């Protein structure tokens, strides 16, 4: 018998990187077919553009030269034509000209999902001990990435208009007072139909946020990462302009967008518009990751954009998600409209995939809490709000929220799922009321 080998010497980063909590939620959704998952942030399966992709693939491969070019390695930054098309696309969404923002196609990088670019931007700027400012709550995959890089989060409260600017200013002023401003490398905002709350940063706050970040960047430039993953899924009114579009000198805003939510996540394609100084460092890291995202997929996406397939698909999705959003809001009103009024409420997103539900403070929505168990017994899952906070060492994590998604489930399943959830909530509430009546002390209550 060979001698038993000692364990691997894992890196500090590996030690700081935990499994994503959502993995568990996805697994039980796959295992239990009876379960309605209001947790999984997948897009609507029925809407995925399978037929369009079949046609585009056939067309591409029917042209032998074009097909072979697409099957060859591409470049690290991405297909030139696609990057130009993406720049024009973003400028059109914002109603601005690229020159006004001091950007051209060389500032556009295509990634293997926007996640890759969000990660790389953090990776090239953040060192262990640094600070990243986020909304409170925030997108848990991003805060997990920040944690794995050894940074801590300083969170800023939100209201129905997104991150509160006076609170942001207060956080930055405090960091300056304590001599910690130089450690702040990034401000991350998911500013359209935020994951997890569905809230959009209001138009008036956009320029204000940029001005604040700029005014605290005199001694060390803070990068403002604008994660606009859900931007094109607005289903009400006109979506606000990006923060990026207010920046004339392309100095500090990274705008990240994706094909995942408005088209097809299986293609794993996203893109970012980067300040000049970040282009090369990002590409150097991306070279280490994959020296270029799928060239084949990029050729297909360019055709999807040029042919109008992409634009038509987005228009269809907006309508579809609007119906589902309406179904979820109606179901919540029906099932929970009279449950502890004032203490139970939810967001009313103008698009995206998520509604954020707040319950009375005593109601623990955590995975180990009574509500999650009761919900599983009823046959429904949600994302416990506790995953979406922090890690901000200064703040206790609130336990009484949850993220609900209307992306992947049918309207019928939305109504049934919310009904199951409401039954679970009311069951936990009745059980607590019985315990209170029986004189159980506060500290021993669930
Ligand atoms: C807020 C947010 N940003 C970024 C991403 C990453 O998306 P992708 O890598 O598919 O572009 C997601 C995915 O769910 C998201 O919710």
């Amino acid at each position: 018998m060979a001698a038993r080998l000692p364990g691997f010497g894992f890196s500090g980063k590996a030690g700081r990187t935990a499994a994503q909590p959502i993995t568990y939620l996805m697994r039980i959704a796959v295992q239990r077919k009876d379960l309605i998952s209001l947790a999984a942030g997948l897009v609507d399966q029925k809407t995925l553009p399978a037929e369009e992709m079949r046609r585009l693939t056939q067309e591409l491969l029917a042209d032998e030269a074009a097909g072979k070019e697409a099957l060859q390695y591409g470049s690290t930054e991405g297909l030139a034509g696609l990057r130009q098309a993406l720049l024009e696309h973003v400028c059109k969404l914002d109603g601005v000209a690229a020159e006004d923002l001091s950007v051209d196609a060389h500032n556009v990088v295509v990634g293997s999902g926007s996640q890759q670019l969000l990660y790389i931007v953090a990776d090239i700027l953040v060192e262990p001990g640094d600070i990243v400012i986020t909304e409170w709550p925030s997108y848990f995959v991003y805060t997990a990435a920040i944690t794995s890089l050894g940074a801590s989060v300083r969170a800023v409260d939100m209201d129905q208009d997104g991150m509160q600017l006076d609170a942001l200013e207060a956080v930055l002023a405090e960091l300056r007072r304590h001599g910690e401003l130089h450690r702040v490398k990034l401000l991350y905002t998911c500013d359209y139909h935020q994951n997890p709350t569905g809230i959009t940063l209001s138009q008036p706050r956009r320029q204000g946020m940029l001005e604040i970040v700029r005014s605290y960047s005199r001694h060390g430039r803070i990068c403002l990462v604008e994660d606009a993953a859900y931007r094109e899924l607005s289903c009400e009114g006109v979506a606000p302009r990006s923060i990026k579009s207010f920046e004339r000198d392309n100095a500090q805003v990274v705008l990240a967008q994706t094909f995942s939510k408005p088209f097809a996540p299986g293609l794993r394609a996203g893109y970012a518009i980067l300040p000049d100084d970040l282009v090369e460092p990002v590409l150097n890291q991306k070279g280490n990751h994959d020296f270029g995202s799928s060239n084949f997929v990029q050729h297909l996406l360019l055709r999807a954009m040029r042919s109008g397939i992409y634009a038509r698909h987005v228009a269809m999705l907006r309508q579809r998600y609007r119906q589902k959003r309406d179904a979820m809001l109606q179901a919540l009103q029906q099932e929970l409209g009279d449950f502890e009024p004032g203490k139970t409420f939810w967001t009313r997103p103008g698009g995206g995939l998520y509604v954020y539900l707040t319950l009375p403070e005593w109601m623990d929505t955590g995975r180990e809490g009574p509500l999650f168990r009761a919900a599983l017994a009823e046959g429904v899952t949600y994302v416990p709000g506790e995953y979406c906070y922090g890690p901000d060492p200064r703040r206790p994590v609130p336990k009484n929220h949850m993220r609900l998604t209307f992306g992947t489930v049918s309207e019928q399943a939305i109504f049934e799922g919310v009904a199951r959830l409401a039954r679970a909530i009311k069951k936990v509430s009745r059980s607590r009321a019985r315990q209170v009546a029986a004189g159980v002390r506060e500290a021993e209550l669930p």
Side-chain angles (χ1 to χ4, degrees), residues 113-115 118 139 188 190 195 227 229-230 258 260-261 268:
S114 58
Q115 177 64 28
L118 291 168
Y139 173 42
Y188 168 79
C190 178
N195 183 357
D227 179 354
Y230 298 91
T258 181
S260 294
K261 312 299 171 179
R268 303 307 298 126

Side-chain angles (χ1 to χ4, degrees), residues 35-50:
L35 215 58
I36 295 178
S37 176
L38 301 178
L42 304 178
V43 302
D44 188 329
Q45 183 97 358
K46 284 203 185 122
T47 60
L48 287 169

Side-chain angles (χ1 to χ4, degrees), residues 112-329:
S112 305
S114 58
Q115 177 64 28
Q116 182 188 44
L117 299 172
L118 291 168
Y119 180 78
I120 290 177
V121 168
D123 194 23
I124 60 170
L125 294 175
V126 169
E127 298 219 81
D130 281 342
I131 294 170
V132 175
I133 295 180
T134 69
E135 286 132 354
W136 183 253
S138 183
Y139 173 42
F140 47 85
V141 175
Y142 189 79
T143 47
I146 291 304
T147 307
S148 102
L149 293 171
S152 66
V153 163
R154 208 52 67 83
V156 179
D157 286 324
M158 303 173 73
D159 58 23
Q160 73 281 1
D161 287 329
M163 188 184 275
Q164 294 177 11
L165 296 191
D166 48 354
L168 169 62
E169 180 119 45
V171 165
L172 286 164
E174 197 197 353
L175 287 163
R176 180 156 63 194
R177 264 199 314 282
H178 290 107
E180 291 185 298
L181 198 55
H182 65 284
R183 291 170 52 207
V184 179
K185 298 293 179 60
L186 298 169
L187 181 150
Y188 168 79
T189 175
C190 178
D191 60 340
Y192 293 90
H193 317 302
Q194 192 222 27
N195 183 357
T197 61
I199 289 172
T200 293
L201 184 69
S202 68
Q203 188 72 72
R205 287 195 188 169
R206 291 173 173 261
Q207 192 160 3
M209 181 184 281
L210 181 59
E211 279 163 13
I212 292 171
V213 171
R214 189 156 285 218
S215 71
Y216 281 86
S217 289
R218 294 213 183 95
H219 301 294
R221 207 186 304 179
I222 300 171
C223 178
L224 198 165
V225 177
E226 179 177 22
D227 179 354
Y230 298 91
R231 170 176 200 179
E232 292 180 73
L233 296 188
S234 287
C235 61
E236 243 169 32
V238 183
R241 279 172 55 180
S242 67
I243 302 171
K244 178 86 200 154
S245 73
F246 291 99
E247 188 187 49
R248 298 274 142 185
D249 57 0
N250 190 28
Q252 57 192 144
V253 180
V254 169
L255 171 64
Q257 295 196 187
T258 181
F259 283 99
S260 294
K261 312 299 171 179
F263 202 60
L267 298 173
R268 303 307 298 126
Y271 51 100
I273 303 184
L274 302 170
D276 287 335
D277 307 0
L278 293 188
V279 174
E280 196 183 328
V282 163
L283 291 179
N284 292 345
Q285 285 302 321
K286 187 164 160 57
N288 285 346
H289 283 222
D290 58 13
F291 39 88
S293 301
S294 164
N295 192 29
F296 189 69
V297 163
Q298 291 182 63
H299 275 82
L300 293 174
L301 284 171
L302 178 55
R303 283 166 182 253
M305 294 198 83
R306 281 194 178 145
S307 60
I309 285 177
Y310 176 78
R312 282 196 295 280
H313 190 76
V314 173
M316 178 275 292
L317 277 187
R318 285 206 186 113
Q319 283 197 5
R320 182 77 199 107
Y321 285 130
R322 187 191 173 109
Q323 290 163 349
K324 291 177 141 203
R325 188 246 359 219
D326 289 348
M328 181 160 275
L329 294 179

